[in-house]
């Protein structure tokens, strides 16, 4: 070990065992923020407790089961898919965010609004649409048959699921990166340009490093979503952990082995979260606040590059939005032509249920996630840091696992809560709380602590500094997180099926019922209504972003 490294380690040990640090750790245990976080994390860990309870019943057989060739293959498939989707979604999200924020791309408003919309489409609906388009008997295959093309490359397997999940998850990177771009201080870029750096050099050496927290958060969300997705991988026949867990739950009726597999999924998620936290903690990205950040940099003139940029955006929106919408619209038209009730008068209540339960959950989760994000910012507090890391575990668990765990818990210990709204919202909150925490953390990472220190120097207590200084600066991040929670709750299926009160239907459960009855024409209208409901939340947050941009 290098001499200087040994000195650093010794200094860290002395600091950790110093009286001041011991006093801080003792204060942690009494801090209201830590107590609140501990309660929230305890609720979030309920499904994990269920998994451990089940896994302990497996004994040594679980080790042999995990080391079998099939399970190692499933592990490799899950890791390969998560890495491929995270990288491709990052490239797409970063490009769309930069083009719609910093350039004079034609039809900028159109791309700005339509770019995040694929997030409103559940991945299992996207998979159904792409099977209808590119499957062996799909629309494109039938159109190409007269030209002598008898077989297209298979949509099933890794290529298909990689394409589908990427198309519907790249907004996880787009939204936080766009919010970060809007809050960047243009003075640094202008200074770099005045020193003779080229435009590309400024982006690579000045802009991109400041976007790393937002990119890291987006990649984390995308990878966690990919690891926990079930609908797309099942429909496109690609073996990952979620598909194996579902098979153990349903086909083999072996919940113990399913719990063991779910624990491996949790370990993968913990590894990803740890890597992201290490990256975020190594960055200092103080930009927000003050009049300078309200000034937007001049737009980059693309020149002839606008044509390939337009082709890129048109192709991306076409694949991620227009193509699935066209399939859904054709199914809705078939329902109208067949004489079925096209207006779906019975859909009014599911649509209202979807909007209300999504909005209520988004507000509650945002209020819950803000204290945790503030706690994560206090890097001197190891307890707070670990509490926030544990809160991220919920997003790594498939919705099916969370739902079954809460059913088990409620039926065994709190029968009065079984299939009630509190247990349903708790299931949503466990699953999507990390979305709110991550978006708020990205915004907090850009708040220059000088403004908060100025507030304290003026005599404001800590809570007033948070309310009067910090909250206005991180408001775009909080709203972005609320929009993400709203969208994901509106699209959630397994937890809604198992945890919702009897008779409470949402648009996703309505679509699921139609699919189970093999009435694909009946999927069109509720799916389009679901997309419209989700798009409403996106339009609200983007309108607020545009207001910030104009300011």
């Amino acid at each position: 070990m290098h001499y200087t490294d040994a000195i650093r380690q010794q200094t860290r040990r002395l600091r950790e065992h110093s009286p001041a640090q011991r006093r801080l750790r003792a204060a942690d245990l009494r801090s209201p923020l830590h107590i609140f976080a501990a309660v929230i994390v305890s609720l979030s860990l309920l499904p994990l407790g269920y998994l451990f309870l089940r896994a302990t019943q497996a004994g040594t057989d679980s080790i042999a089961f995990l080391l079998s060739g099939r399970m190692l293959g499933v592990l490799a498939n899950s890791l390969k898919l998560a890495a491929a989707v995270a990288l491709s979604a990052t490239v797409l999200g970063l490009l769309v965010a930069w083009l719609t924020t910093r350039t004079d791309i034609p039809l900028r408003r159109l791309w700005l609004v339509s770019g995040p919309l694929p997030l409103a489409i559940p991945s299992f609906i996207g998979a159904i649409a792409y099977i209808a388009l590119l499957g062996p008997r799909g629309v494109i295959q039938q159109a190409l048959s007269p030209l002598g093309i008898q077989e297209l490359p298979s949509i099933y397997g890794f290529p298909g699921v990689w394409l589908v999940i990427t198309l519907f998850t790249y907004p996880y990177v787009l939204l936080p990166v766009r919010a970060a771009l809007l809050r960047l201080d243009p003075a640094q870029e202008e200074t770099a340009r005045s020193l003779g750096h080229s435009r590309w050099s400024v982006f690579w050496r000045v802009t991109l490093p400041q976007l790393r927290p937002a990119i890291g958060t987006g990649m984390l969300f995308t990878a966690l979503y990919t690891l926990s997705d079930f609908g797309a991988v099942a429909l496109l026949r690609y073996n990952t952990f979620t598909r194996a867990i579902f098979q153990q739950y349903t086909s083999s009726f072996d919940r113990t082995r399913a719990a063991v597999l779910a624990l491996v999924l949790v370990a993968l998620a913990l590894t990803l979260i740890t890597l992201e936290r290490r990256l975020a903690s190594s960055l200092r990205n103080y930009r927000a606040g003050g009049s300078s950040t309200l000034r937007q940099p001049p737009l980059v003139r693309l020149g002839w590059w606008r044509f390939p940029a337009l082709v890129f955006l048109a192709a991306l929106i076409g694949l991620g939005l227009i193509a699935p919408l066209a399939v859904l619209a054709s199914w809705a038209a078939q329902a109208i032509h067949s004489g079925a009730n096209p207006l779906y008068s019975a859909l009014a209540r599911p649509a209202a249920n979807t909007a209300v339960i999504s909005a209520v959950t988004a507000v509650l989760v945002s209020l819950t996630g803000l204290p945790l994000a503030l706690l994560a910012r206090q890097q001197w507090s190891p307890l707070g840091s670990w509490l926030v890391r544990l809160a991220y575990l919920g997003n790594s668990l498939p919705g099916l696992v969370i739902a079954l765990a809460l059913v088990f818990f409620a039926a065994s210990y709190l029968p009065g809560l079984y299939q009630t709204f509190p247990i349903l919202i708790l299931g949503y909150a466990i699953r999507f709380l990390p979305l709110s925490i991550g978006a708020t953390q990205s915004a907090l990472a850009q708040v220059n602590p000088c403004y908060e220190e100025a507030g304290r120097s003026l005599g404001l207590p800590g809570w007033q500094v948070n309310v009067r200084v910090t909250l206005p600066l991180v408001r775009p991040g909080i709203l972005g997180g609320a929009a993400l929670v709203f969208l994901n709750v509106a699209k959630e299926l397994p937890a809604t099926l198992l945890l919702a009160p009897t008779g409470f239907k949402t648009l996703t459960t309505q679509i699921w019922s139609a699919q189970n009855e093999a009435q694909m024409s009946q999927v069109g209208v509720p799916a389009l209504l679901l997309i419209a409901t989700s798009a409403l939340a996106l339009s609200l947050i983007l309108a607020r972003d545009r207001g910030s941009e104009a300011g």
Side-chain angles (χ1 to χ4, degrees), residues 67 191 233 285 287 369 372 393 443 496 537:
L67 295 179
T191 302
V233 296
N285 207 25
R287 299 292 178 269
L372 292 173
L393 285 178
T496 310

Side-chain angles (χ1 to χ4, degrees), residues 430-505:
I430 292 173
R431 184 92 167 84
F432 302 123
L433 178 61
L435 300 180
S436 176
I437 298 175
T440 307
Q441 274 187 269
S442 295
L444 282 170
Q446 293 187 308
V447 174
N448 193 326
C450 292
Y451 296 100
E452 294 167 313
E453 291 169 3
R456 294 189 189 94
S457 68
L458 293 175
L460 293 178
W463 68 271
Q464 284 199 29
V465 171
N466 286 332
V467 172
R468 300 176 62 178
V469 179
T470 307
L471 283 182
L473 294 174
V474 302
R475 187 171 51 192
I478 296 174
L479 292 175
L484 288 175
V485 173
F486 184 97
L487 293 174
N488 282 276
V489 171
K491 297 187 302 180
E492 220 290 328
L493 177 65
T496 310
L497 285 172
L498 294 178
L499 298 175
T502 303
F504 183 82
K505 288 190 175 182

Side-chain angles (χ1 to χ4, degrees), residues 65 89-90 94 98 134 208 259 305 314 334 359 364 413 430 474 535:
F65 173 66
T90 298
L94 184 59
W98 187 77
L134 301 174
L208 189 60
W305 280 102
Q334 290 176 17
L364 292 177
Y413 303 106
I430 292 173
V474 302

